[in-house]
Amino acid sequence: RDLRTEKARQYNIGFTLPVTLHEKIDLEITTDGYRNRVTDKIVTFPNKNTFNWTVMNFGKVEITGLDITGKLTYHFSDKMYLLLQSGYTYQKSLDVTDPEGRTWKHQLPYTPRVSGSGSMTLVHPLAQLTYGLLWSGHRYALTENYAENRLPGYAEHNVSVVRDVKFLNHALQCKFEILNIWNENYQIVRWFPM
């Protein structure tokens, strides 16, 4: 109830570059660089347990980031193609409230410096097969960026098959997924393995 309204000054520059490399190959690259100066940044993170979260203002935060995405499409025919997509984010989110404070220029809690995703999808008239990857670099569970507060990075691999069918004049989508195919344990929230 005592939270202050967040105020931001944002600077951004970016571009999108669509290219046809060949009559069968389309490529699109998007890049965005940004610098944000935020006053009273609102940050939410679990403190004692996942049912008791802390919501607080950070006095001043500087965010510098870069987002890069790419999409490549290879057309086998009009109805069948391969789609490769990837994304990368670099985000430096630093607490710059008090130069004398313990958290001066520390990364905000649960904000990875690097993260990304990728997918490969084969689209066929019968079905769509997708392999996906989601990854995150290390994060810190608390405001102080000490080794004991550090959470390791993780990667999650998924596979899905999707088929669209018509049933009684309705369009239905049937989906079969295998999530976390390597059965790796990782923590998105500290002390709660997924």
Side-chain angles (χ1 to χ4, degrees):
R1 69 177 184 241
D2 297 325
L3 287 175
R4 296 177 300 280
T5 304
E6 186 176 289
K7 296 172 218 61
R9 183 163 292 179
Q10 302 176 324
Y11 305 93
N12 182 77
I13 187 166
F15 67 87
T16 299
L17 179 66
V19 179
T20 300
L21 299 174
H22 182 271
E23 62 185 31
K24 293 186 172 196
I25 302 173
D26 296 317
L27 174 66
E28 183 177 287
I29 297 172
T30 301
T31 302
D32 276 294
Y34 50 91
R35 172 77 174 198
N36 301 338
R37 292 190 178 113
V38 186
T39 304
D40 294 325
K41 171 108 176 111
I42 298 172
V43 177
T44 304
F45 57 97
N47 191 4
K48 296 180 178 80
N49 60 56
T50 55
F51 304 106
N52 184 12
W53 286 56
T54 298
V55 182
M56 62 183 285
N57 288 106
F58 279 78
K60 292 180 185 173
V61 173
E62 287 183 356
I63 302 170
T64 304
L66 177 68
D67 292 332
I68 301 171
T69 61
K71 180 169 76 169
L72 184 127
T73 309
Y74 182 85
H75 299 273
F76 297 104
S77 67
D78 290 341
K79 295 183 178 181
M80 185 173 159
Y81 59 91
L82 180 67
L83 176 62
L84 303 173
Q85 297 183 90
S86 65
Y88 170 82
T89 297
Y90 170 84
Q91 188 177 89
K92 193 171 165 182
S93 300
L94 304 179
D95 178 7
V96 293
T97 304
D98 179 7
E100 304 298 320
R102 292 185 334 230
T103 62
W104 172 251
K105 293 208 172 182
H106 283 215
Q107 185 84 353
L108 296 184
Y110 288 99
T111 306
R113 184 78 47 105
V114 293
S115 61
S117 64
S119 68
M120 179 171 55
T121 303
L122 178 63
V123 177
H124 186 275
L126 293 178
Q128 175 178 307
L129 174 65
T130 301
Y131 162 77
L133 165 69
L134 177 67
W135 65 272
S136 172
H138 72 269
R139 294 101 54 234
Y140 292 94
L142 297 173
T143 55
E144 296 90 3
N145 292 175
Y146 303 138
E148 57 270 15
N149 295 334
R150 183 176 164 154
L151 291 173
Y154 64 88
E156 183 178 288
H157 304 262
N158 305 308
V159 175
S160 67
V161 178
V162 177
R163 179 169 165 80
D164 294 324
V165 293
K166 289 186 179 178
F167 180 73
L168 300 175
N169 294 325
H170 295 285
L172 298 176
Q173 186 178 75
C174 301
K175 187 174 189 178
F176 174 77
E177 287 183 300
I178 301 175
L179 304 176
N180 193 10
I181 59 177
W182 306 123
N183 195 29
E184 289 184 34
N185 287 332
Y186 55 89
Q187 294 181 61
I188 295 176
V189 176
R190 189 175 199 174
W191 299 305
F192 288 88
M194 307 300 274

